[in-house]
Amino acid sequence: MTSTGYLVIDFDSTFLQVEALEELADISLGNDPQKKEILAQVQDITNQGVDGKISFNESLNRRLALLQANESHLPGLIDRLKRKVSKSFERNREFFQEHKGSVFIISNGFREFIEPVVADYAINSAHVMANSFRFDPAGKIIGADESNPLAHSKGKSKTLAAMELEGEISVIGDAYTDYEMKEAGVAHKFYAFTENVLRENILDKADHVIPSFDEFLYVNQLPMAVSYPKNRIKVLILENIHDLAEQSFTTEGYQIEIIGRALSEEELCEKIQGVSIIGIRSKTNITRKVLEHANRLMAVGAFCIGTNQIDLEACAEKGVIVFNAPYSNTRSVVELAIGEIIMLMRRIPAMSQGMHVGTWNKSALNSNEIRGKKLGIIGYGNIGAQLSVLAESMGMQVYYYDLVEKLAIGNATKVNSLEELLGLADVVSLHVDGRPDNKMIFGEQELKAMKPGSILVNLSRGFVVEIEPLVEALKSGHLRGAAVDVFPSEPRSNSEEFISELRGLENVILTPHIGGSTQEAQRNIAQFVPSQIIDYINAGNSFSSVNFPNLQLPFQGNSHRLIHIHKNVPGILAKINQVLAQHEINITGQYLKTNEQIGYVITDINAAYNQAVLADLKQIEDTIKFRVLY
């Protein structure tokens, strides 16, 4: 913005994430048994109005008639709307403070709720052009002030024309009624805002289609709160990751491509070119070869617990950060383990198969409760520890073995060796991580060391257990049963056949790697991993990364944040500061952390800088990656 330019912003579905009258309807209808149907009608009428299919006056009056709203509902509405300001406007709050004289709200909504919301953004009531409610003596909302042009069709363009603003006028909005201001010749540019809703009928009419307010600021070379341009950030999502991940990245304004299966190394080498963020689960391998083709990759999101499918060392060497979800599906895996232990103890798989072929075998033979039985947990991490708690609450005696010293939870007992645990446990449950040292750690010797008639559960990694000796132990009756969710070789998609020697054994529960595949777990993962990646891209935070030094950074207002990733060699910080000193740039905050491979330096500066500074910082020897956030 300049002193001679003005910005006009629509309110509903632009400044706000929602339509205010729909939110008012939700409040005013309360527990009305027809609430769902009425809300759908309100939404449909709203869409007809903004798309120009019915007159605005008709749209407004029909919606108000359905609302049954009262003046007393407005405080609750205002409260709700303040929490639903569009994210990109919310994070650029300082822009409105700095340009408060040149920003206007022109809306077909109502000033009674608009003014209190935008006041928090330094937009005063004189800069809000909106309708006013009419109330009856009891406070019921009965309509709008008909003398206001905004209560009628083409009211926005008429209102803007009457304001007689001198200078270039830009309009940001989501609907045809916003475009009408440019169509009428009273605004110079129209920006179609798609962060909350995408209306096809305005896209080809817009000077720019902007997925967020950040994009508007970027296009007009204005200061912004986050690193940009975001629409240049491409995200590749594989393996049927929950839709919430796509929503999170879309809200940020990123380009999204979704492929519902895993890709081979060859396929991924081609696809990853130009990709900034990749989201995978357990079947896609991020190898060194793949990374050699990743010319723009910034982050890998593992939407699962394990990261053994990712070459973490090669990622660090390339300056690519990796995040996973170590806690998000813990409960789901534990519940499956408990369920399978009970089913195997009660011989449910064999009983169920018999019933399906007409065999009625009512018998208590070899059917037991889990209460009082000994559970041996191998790997006492997040999942193992929670399994310990739930199993103990159901009456099991819990023992655990871990290479790392772990504090026992509840009455669990730590044993000193794997052999000791195998010799006493009625049920052995594996919960080890994906490190290479765990490959085939459970073979013929370990299976023979298990108690006769015991049960094995593997919900950890497919390469942990040797399949052939497991099959032999099950067929011979040495093991009473097994539950296996992970396998040395797994199909890449649901259309491929699963092949295993374990197929057909009646005392085995086989599941297709679904330990963490519940709606709850997948939602949690799809929220957690994108939030970590977005926080890294926007603020530089690396906390909870599995391959970067972990830094949790404070927000720095009125400063520029410089990110420098380098090989972990002596003297880099001194060289960075030397460059800044040569350009007479003052440091307001600086953070450094290293691991065995790389160093991660965040420097906040409060001065304007020129491109020469950036070029000099990039040229520092042993630099891996450098970028400016804001």
Side-chain angles (χ1 to χ4, degrees):
M1 300 294 296
T2 67
S3 59
T4 57
Y6 297 94
L7 176 60
V8 172
I9 304 172
D10 176 44
F11 188 69
D12 293 283
S13 293
T14 300
F15 194 87
L16 285 186
Q17 300 173 41
V18 294
E19 290 285 325
L21 285 187
E22 291 175 16
E23 297 296 307
L24 179 58
D26 184 56
I27 293 170
S28 66
L29 292 169
N31 296 319
D32 190 310
Q34 293 185 304
K35 179 176 182 176
K36 188 175 179 181
E37 291 77 11
I38 296 172
L39 286 175
Q41 288 181 57
V42 170
Q43 189 173 43
D44 181 56
I45 295 167
T46 298
N47 290 334
Q48 289 183 54
V50 296
D51 290 340
K53 295 178 180 177
I54 59 176
S55 71
F56 175 74
N57 202 17
E58 181 184 351
S59 168
L60 182 62
N61 289 329
R62 284 171 59 186
R63 283 180 292 167
L64 289 176
L66 289 168
L67 293 186
Q68 298 299 307
N70 191 282
E71 191 172 10
S72 62
H73 294 130
L74 295 179
L77 174 66
I78 292 163
D79 230 24
R80 182 184 290 196
L81 297 184
K82 285 186 175 186
R83 297 192 300 271
K84 295 196 175 184
V85 172
S86 295
K87 297 297 182 186
S88 63
F89 285 106
E90 191 174 55
R91 62 177 165 257
N92 286 288
R93 190 184 291 251
E94 286 185 11
F95 169 86
F96 295 97
Q97 184 66 43
E98 292 170 10
H99 298 88
K100 55 188 175 184
S102 56
V103 178
F104 293 84
I105 300 291
I106 297 184
S107 171
N108 295 122
F110 292 82
R111 65 174 55 253
E112 284 85 355
F113 54 73
I114 295 175
E115 287 181 4
V117 174
V118 301
D120 293 344
Y121 292 78
I123 302 173
N124 64 45
S125 58
H127 281 223
V128 175
M129 310 298 156
N131 282 302
S132 299
F133 283 126
R134 289 190 297 113
F135 303 95
D136 69 9
K140 180 181 176 182
I141 296 172
I142 55 174
D145 176 4
E146 295 286 339
S147 66
N148 190 328
L150 288 165
H152 303 278
S153 296
K154 301 192 182 298
K156 289 185 177 181
S157 52
K158 293 174 184 176
T159 298
L160 181 56
M163 291 163 65
E164 297 184 343
L165 299 176
E166 293 185 6
E168 183 168 295
I169 299 171
S170 298
V171 174
I172 298 177
D174 67 283
Y176 193 88
T177 54
D178 304 308
Y179 163 69
E180 284 179 341
M181 287 183 269
K182 183 190 176 185
E183 184 183 45
V186 292
H188 300 86
K189 289 184 179 178
F190 170 62
Y191 295 82
F193 188 79
T194 61
E195 182 172 326
N196 304 309
V197 63
L198 192 153
R199 304 190 195 278
E200 297 284 352
N201 67 337
I202 61 168
L203 299 184
D204 61 345
K205 297 175 171 56
D207 295 281
H208 295 277
V209 177
I210 55 172
S212 66
F213 188 54
D214 305 292
E215 176 76 3
F216 171 82
L217 298 176
Y218 174 76
V219 167
N220 290 282
Q221 299 183 334
L222 295 164
M224 64 199 80
V226 297
S227 176
Y228 217 72
K230 289 193 172 187
N231 69 335
R232 275 68 168 179
I233 294 178
K234 182 177 179 181
V235 182
L236 177 60
I237 300 176
L238 307 178
E239 300 189 66
N240 290 316
I241 291 167
H242 195 282
D243 292 346
L244 279 177
E246 180 190 357
Q247 292 173 25
S248 295
F249 290 131
T250 300
T251 299
E252 287 295 304
Y254 302 160
Q255 297 179 53
I256 314 292
E257 181 178 1
I258 297 174
I259 300 174
R261 61 179 177 88
L263 297 183
S264 67
E265 185 179 62
E266 185 179 344
E267 290 175 310
L268 197 52
C269 283
E270 182 180 343
K271 266 292 178 188
I272 205 162
Q273 295 176 44
V275 169
S276 303
I277 300 166
I278 184 168
I280 63 170
R281 294 177 73 182
S282 57
K283 293 189 180 71
T284 300
N285 293 307
I286 307 296
T287 64
R288 187 174 290 274
K289 182 180 177 182
V290 168
L291 290 165
E292 287 171 0
H293 291 78
N295 58 330
R296 295 191 63 185
L297 193 62
M298 298 171 66
V300 176
F303 287 73
C304 51
I305 295 176
T307 56
N308 55 294
Q309 73 278 35
I310 303 166
D311 191 328
L312 298 177
E313 184 176 322
C315 282
E317 289 173 9
K318 292 269 292 183
V320 175
I321 197 166
V322 179
F323 292 100
N324 68 337
Y327 312 109
S328 300
N329 65 2
T330 300
R331 178 72 185 203
S332 297
V333 176
V334 169
E335 287 188 4
L336 181 61
I338 291 286
E340 291 182 331
I341 291 167
I342 293 171
M343 291 178 73
L344 289 168
M345 277 288 189
R346 296 295 299 273
R347 297 181 59 238
I348 298 300
M351 292 290 190
S352 178
Q353 289 173 36
M355 290 290 286
H356 279 286
V357 295
T359 303
W360 182 271
N361 183 19
K362 184 178 180 181
S363 169
L365 183 66
N366 293 325
S367 182
N368 301 97
E369 296 178 351
I370 65 169
R371 181 176 53 174
K373 301 302 182 294
K374 295 181 176 68
L375 171 64
I377 299 172
I378 301 174
Y380 205 63
N382 300 320
I383 293 174
Q386 190 168 138
L387 175 60
S388 170
V389 172
L390 265 66
E392 186 179 316
S393 72
M394 299 182 76
M396 298 190 82
Q397 300 172 38
V398 178
Y399 299 83
Y400 70 92
Y401 173 71
D402 200 302
L403 293 173
V404 180
E405 190 64 36
K406 298 285 182 71
L407 181 66
I409 299 176
N411 295 312
T413 302
K414 181 182 185 299
V415 300
N416 296 317
S417 69
L418 179 59
E419 292 72 21
E420 182 184 354
L421 182 137
L422 297 178
L424 62 83
D426 300 300
V427 179
V428 173
S429 192
L430 298 169
H431 299 287
V432 299
D433 61 26
R435 71 186 70 182
D437 291 348
N438 286 330
K439 188 171 183 179
M440 298 303 173
I441 61 168
F442 216 84
E444 184 177 2
Q445 182 180 335
E446 289 73 26
L447 289 161
K448 284 182 177 178
M450 290 177 66
K451 284 175 63 174
S454 58
I455 289 168
L456 178 67
V457 176
N458 183 19
L459 305 180
S460 61
R461 301 292 187 277
F463 58 71
V464 169
V465 178
E466 293 186 41
I467 299 299
E468 283 188 28
L470 174 59
V471 171
E472 181 57 36
L474 289 162
K475 286 182 174 178
S476 68
H478 176 63
L479 291 190
R480 177 177 183 167
V484 185
D485 184 53
V486 287
F487 305 89
S489 177
E490 297 180 358
R492 287 190 171 274
S493 70
N494 290 345
S495 61
E496 292 183 29
E497 182 183 2
F498 165 66
I499 298 172
S500 173
E501 297 170 68
L502 292 166
R503 284 172 50 177
L505 300 180
E506 69 170 17
N507 56 342
V508 178
I509 298 174
L510 298 177
T511 48
H513 204 146
I514 57 167
S517 295
T518 61
Q519 288 297 308
E520 293 83 357
Q522 294 309 305
R523 276 198 300 271
N524 291 339
I525 292 170
Q527 289 172 329
F528 180 79
V529 176
S531 71
Q532 300 302 107
I533 293 174
I534 290 165
D535 199 25
Y536 169 72
I537 289 173
N538 287 350
N541 286 317
S542 59
F543 187 74
S544 81
S545 161
V546 294
N547 71 328
F548 263 43
N550 276 205
L551 278 176
Q552 183 75 48
L553 303 163
F555 174 75
Q556 290 278 8
N558 300 315
S559 67
H560 304 287
R561 178 161 283 177
L562 312 178
I563 303 283
H564 193 277
I565 306 165
H566 58 269
K567 295 177 184 177
N568 186 10
V569 297
I572 298 292
L573 185 61
K575 291 177 182 178
I576 291 172
N577 291 340
Q578 185 179 9
V579 169
L580 296 175
Q582 287 171 352
H583 289 273
E584 299 182 342
I585 292 176
N586 185 50
I587 297 171
T588 60
Q590 193 166 54
Y591 315 89
L592 164 67
K593 202 162 186 182
T594 63
N595 61 21
E596 291 180 359
Q597 281 185 276
I598 63 172
Y600 188 47
V601 179
I602 310 292
T603 305
D604 292 328
I605 60 176
N606 64 357
Y609 58 86
N610 58 44
Q611 294 301 310
V613 181
L614 306 185
D616 289 348
L617 289 169
K618 289 177 183 177
Q619 291 304 313
I620 292 173
E621 190 177 359
D622 295 311
T623 296
I624 296 172
K625 275 188 179 177
F626 173 80
R627 66 187 176 106
V628 181
L629 288 189
Y630 40 78

